[in-house]
Amino acid sequence: MQAASIIAALPFSVIMLAMCYSLILGLKQESQHQVEYRQNLKRHDGSSYMSLKERIGPGT
């Protein structure tokens, strides 16, 4: 009975690991966007005004 429950849970654990990996990649990408955004603000003489296109950045 225990072996059956472990075997049944294995696909779900693989999915959970894939989701964790995807989350880590997404957080790293978001962090990089934040760094680029702050650098972009500094490049504009510290002004908080930026056009919408500059705020969003290039299309993905």
Side-chain angles (χ1 to χ4, degrees):
M1 189 69 163
Q2 286 180 339
S5 63
I6 291 173
I7 291 172
L10 190 60
F12 296 110
S13 63
V14 171
I15 291 171
M16 291 294 290
L17 287 173
M19 289 173 54
C20 289
Y21 178 73
S22 177
L23 176 65
I24 290 170
L25 288 180
L27 290 173
K28 285 181 181 180
Q29 185 179 27
E30 180 65 24
S31 175
Q32 182 61 32
H33 284 300
Q34 288 289 326
V35 169
E36 291 171 3
Y37 177 75
R38 289 185 181 135
Q39 289 173 348
N40 215 0
L41 278 178
K42 288 179 183 177
R43 196 174 349 163
H44 285 72
D45 300 326
S47 170
S48 61
Y49 173 76
M50 288 178 61
S51 72
L52 182 59
K53 187 174 182 180
E54 289 172 331
R55 287 180 190 217
I56 295 173
T60 56

